[in-house]
Amino acid sequence: MRVIVVGAGVVGTMHAWHAVSRGHEVVQIERESEARGASLRNFGQIWVSGRAGGEELETALRARELWQGIGERVSGLGFRPCGSLTPLRTAYEVAVAEAAVARPDAAARGYKLLTADEARAVNPALRGAFTAALWCERDAAVEPRTAQLALKERLLASGRYTFLGGREVREVVGTASVRDDHGDVHTGDAVILATGAWLGGLVRELTGPELPVRRVRLQMMQTDPLGEPLTTSVADADSFRYYPAYRSEALDALNAGQPQDPVAAEHSMQLLMVQRRDGGLTIGDTHAYEHPFAFDTVEEPYEHLTRIVEAFLGRPLPRIRHRWAGVYAQCTDTSRVVHRQQVRDGVWLVTGPGGRGMTCSPAIAETTADQLGW
């Protein structure tokens, strides 16, 4: 079988990975010289903790298993089973964590409510003031800026994989065939359009204007090296407001009795923080849903995140080296893990995982491969 994959972000690359792993030939086409979109502009978190129960959690757990297996074969991924901590500072926040630990699927997530001292034993860099912390043992991390490159290198070594960068696919021609902007036609047994947040052009022609996927913009930043290990990923209690796993009467009480900071509310924020291999911290993020998106980054969210992080660390944040914005594609029905649609004979569009993309992509691609009988 010959598979044509359009898009070299993490969703497209994982489709290529599964196809090659099952003995098939893959041609992967990317309009940039290398992927430059949301797959590189995220935390690199394999984030199980906040996922909705049912299909979403099952997908995340399967993806977590797949990430670990791939990480054992591809060291350049930087896979590490670091877990996550959410420090808690008020009774409202502790109550939400207690409700999470009482979920029937809490054990599958690796939830545990820790005292402040227990949390500091897990992550000694958290020297600030907090009363307890929610631990999620199943969370993990990879290096988002290098993961696709490491996967591509391993795929190239298979002898069954071709990468074509700097080519934009413009047209579907016939069955399981596409034409790029160089005029070349690429024919296979299946075409996967993993175009991420690129939802215009060819995608709109194939799906019409009613595609149930929207674009979401975020802001993030990265610091100089911390100078010590941050042994887990870190979130704040605003993540309770954002992730579906924490919905409960306790969360309703938190929202009523402890309103979100105005800057965080205005920008639909939460704190997520991961340490990179060089010791720097990736910190975010904001969410903007209304179009047209702003073309500039806004300083107030960065100032808010800095205050939160410094309170948890009990020390000043290292110098911020990078600030950036990114855009990802999210199903308008946010309970859906991904939008998978056959758009022409032999051609499937796979997009819209939203913030789940880095976490769930290996399992999303595995499901595609199973459904198409690869």
Side-chain angles (χ1 to χ4, degrees):
M1 177 179 285
R2 191 167 192 257
V3 180
I4 312 299
V5 177
V6 179
V10 69
V11 173
T13 301
M14 282 299 173
H15 280 81
W17 179 269
H18 279 287
V20 168
S21 297
R22 297 179 185 207
H24 306 307
E25 179 186 353
V26 171
V27 176
Q28 188 168 25
I29 307 169
E30 166 59 40
R31 61 177 180 165
E32 303 280 357
S33 58
E34 300 285 354
R36 304 291 292 170
S39 296
L40 279 72
R41 306 184 194 195
N42 63 59
F43 298 95
Q45 287 182 313
I46 315 306
W47 195 246
V48 174
S49 50
R51 302 299 169 203
E55 180 189 2
E56 183 175 335
L57 177 60
E58 292 168 4
T59 302
L61 287 169
R62 174 57 180 160
R64 166 66 169 76
E65 180 182 1
L66 291 168
W67 271 118
Q68 182 159 353
I70 298 169
E72 290 169 356
R73 298 172 59 188
V74 185
S75 61
L77 286 183
F79 176 85
R80 49 203 182 274
C82 55
S84 73
L85 285 170
T86 304
L88 311 169
R89 296 178 291 186
T90 70
Y92 287 115
E93 295 172 6
V94 171
V96 177
E98 289 174 339
V101 171
R103 291 180 58 104
D105 55 16
R109 301 169 189 268
Y111 278 161
K112 187 177 181 181
L113 188 59
L114 305 182
T115 66
D117 287 343
E118 289 171 335
R120 292 189 185 99
V122 174
N123 191 338
L126 297 174
R127 301 185 183 90
F130 56 94
T131 61
L134 179 63
W135 165 245
C136 182
E137 182 269 339
R138 297 301 294 159
D139 290 336
V142 296
E143 292 299 297
R145 293 182 182 232
T146 60
Q148 271 68 252
L149 295 175
L151 290 168
K152 185 179 81 169
E153 182 179 355
R154 179 56 66 93
L155 287 166
L156 286 168
S158 72
R160 297 191 302 277
Y161 171 83
T162 302
F163 180 84
L164 299 176
R167 293 173 180 248
E168 183 173 319
V169 170
R170 294 285 182 83
E171 184 183 6
V172 172
V173 288
T175 299
S177 298
V178 294
R179 178 182 286 114
D180 67 27
D181 59 0
H182 289 52
D184 294 333
V185 175
H186 308 276
T187 299
D189 300 286
V191 174
I192 303 298
L193 301 176
T195 57
W198 177 46
L199 302 175
L202 176 63
V203 173
R204 184 175 291 114
E205 291 174 10
L206 293 172
T207 65
E210 302 305 318
L211 182 68
V213 178
R214 63 179 178 179
R215 300 169 78 238
V216 181
R217 182 181 186 269
L218 53 85
Q219 285 186 202
M220 295 174 61
M221 62 182 177
Q222 190 162 322
T223 73
D224 278 342
L226 181 63
E228 63 179 318
L230 186 78
T231 56
T232 72
S233 300
V234 176
D236 75 345
D238 277 341
S239 66
F240 292 163
R241 309 178 199 265
Y242 186 78
Y243 285 105
Y246 304 115
R247 293 170 186 162
S248 62
E249 291 183 0
L251 179 62
D252 295 339
L254 169 71
N255 288 327
Q258 185 179 312
Q260 192 173 24
D261 177 276
V263 171
E266 178 184 357
H267 296 281
S268 301
M269 294 179 67
Q270 59 180 334
L271 167 70
L272 297 176
M273 178 168 62
V274 184
Q275 190 170 46
R276 302 272 66 93
R277 276 179 153 178
D278 70 356
L281 304 176
T282 300
I283 301 171
D285 59 351
T286 65
H287 301 87
Y289 304 98
E290 298 300 323
H291 293 244
F293 294 138
F295 59 82
D296 47 8
T297 57
V298 182
E299 191 63 21
E300 289 81 1
Y302 293 119
E303 294 170 349
H304 170 79
L305 291 168
T306 297
R307 289 193 297 270
I308 298 296
V309 171
E310 291 183 343
F312 285 161
L313 296 178
R315 53 167 283 186
L317 196 64
R319 180 180 70 98
I320 297 172
R321 296 179 58 193
H322 306 289
R323 304 173 193 264
W324 68 89
V327 177
Y328 61 64
Q330 178 188 62
C331 292
T332 51
D333 177 358
T334 57
S335 68
R336 295 181 60 198
V337 173
V338 71
H339 179 74
R340 188 183 288 105
Q341 176 184 355
Q342 184 172 358
V343 293
R344 291 292 187 274
D345 288 344
V347 182
W348 285 263
L349 173 67
V350 185
T351 188
R356 311 176 186 91
M358 201 68 177
T359 296
C360 293
S361 55
I364 288 170
E366 180 183 58
T367 298
T368 303
D370 290 344
Q371 290 182 353
L372 271 58
W374 293 358

